[in-house]
Amino acid sequence: PQPHPLALPGAHSAQLARERSCACSQFARECSCACSGSGSGRTEEEEAEEEEGGAMAGQAEKKQAKRAESLIVYFLYAMVGVNALYVLSRVLFYWSSWGKWSIIGFALFSFVSYFTYNGIDRALQIGGDYEWFQDMFIVNLTTQLLVCFSDYGWLLYLLVPGYLGWKVLKMFLSYVFTPTEAEMNDNDPKNKKKMEKQQKKAERPKFKSMK
């Protein structure tokens, strides 16, 4: 709008300044709203990804826990069944043999069963390897089952030191016959050629130039 001919120049300048100030403030508000909107969008995407990752991890943990619960039950039933059969057979049919050594044997069987059972349970819960605990668990319960009918069943327990000895021997043989990194480099044909070239280069006579 054209200024009034009687208006003062200072009043017109003040009016223009106010209009510019309003326009700048409106532009600043629009920019801040746009920036905040885009920032909140990125945050929502990140939160959605985190929630999805947490949900997947939770599902995996639930599946692992369900699998552990379903498998550990079989080990529990086997342990309870064999121990019950051992006590009943010794008390009902072989009461005369229920002496000091039978009590010691029962304590040994119970300790090994408890130790290996807990090891299997922990490994199943974290998804670890429980092969060693399972082998010991099976040998222990099988020996206890055979001892219910004959004391010669104790001979099966000889598998335990034999198994441990085999594991130690296997580790020793692996340590002795596994080549080291230096030996592997020495046997490598490419490395041999490289070493021969370096040796020949070092053996070449060096001549000094006379000035």
Side-chain angles (χ1 to χ4, degrees):
Q2 296 293 330
H4 195 272
L6 298 178
L8 297 175
H12 179 61
S13 299
Q15 183 180 359
L16 290 176
R18 285 195 297 272
E19 291 177 355
R20 290 176 182 175
S21 177
C22 292
C24 290
S25 61
Q26 184 178 0
F27 178 74
R29 285 195 298 270
E30 291 177 354
C31 290
S32 63
C33 290
C35 293
S36 62
S38 61
S40 62
R42 287 195 298 271
T43 305
E44 290 176 359
E45 291 177 358
E46 292 176 355
E47 290 179 356
E49 291 178 358
E50 290 179 359
E51 290 178 359
E52 184 178 357
M56 292 178 64
Q59 290 178 0
E61 291 178 357
K62 288 180 180 179
K63 288 181 180 180
Q64 183 65 35
K66 187 176 180 180
R67 179 176 177 270
E69 290 178 0
S70 62
L71 287 178
I72 199 63
V73 170
Y74 296 106
F75 292 97
L76 179 62
Y77 288 164
M79 181 175 63
V80 173
V82 172
N83 278 273
L85 179 62
Y86 180 86
V87 173
L88 290 176
S89 64
R90 286 294 179 178
V91 172
L92 296 179
F93 302 105
Y94 303 103
W95 173 251
S96 59
S97 64
W98 185 257
K100 179 179 68 174
W101 293 109
S102 296
I103 296 174
I104 294 174
F106 179 68
L108 176 63
F109 287 137
S110 300
F111 171 76
V112 175
S113 295
Y114 177 79
F115 174 74
T116 54
Y117 174 82
N118 286 333
I120 294 170
D121 189 21
R122 287 193 299 269
L124 285 173
Q125 290 178 4
I126 63 176
D129 184 20
Y130 57 93
E131 181 182 0
W132 185 85
F133 291 106
Q134 179 177 270
D135 293 341
M136 291 293 297
F137 185 85
I138 293 174
V139 171
N140 181 70
L141 285 189
T142 305
T143 303
Q144 188 176 7
L145 181 63
L146 294 176
V147 171
C148 292
F149 308 101
S150 175
D151 289 335
Y152 288 104
W154 284 102
L155 296 176
L156 186 63
Y157 239 8
L158 295 176
L159 291 175
V160 176
Y163 177 78
L164 295 177
W166 164 247
K167 284 290 186 182
V168 173
L169 179 62
K170 189 176 179 181
M171 292 173 60
F172 175 75
L173 294 176
S174 177
Y175 173 78
V176 172
F177 293 103
T178 300
T180 61
E181 186 177 356
E183 293 174 348
M184 292 177 67
N185 291 332
D186 293 339
N187 295 328
D188 189 6
K190 294 182 180 180
N191 192 47
K192 281 185 177 181
K193 291 181 180 180
K194 185 177 180 181
M195 294 294 294
E196 289 175 358
K197 288 182 180 180
Q198 292 179 355
Q199 187 175 1
K200 289 180 181 180
K201 187 176 180 181
E203 291 176 355
R204 289 177 183 175
K206 297 181 180 178
F207 299 98
K208 295 183 178 179
S209 59
M210 301 297 293
K211 293 183 179 180

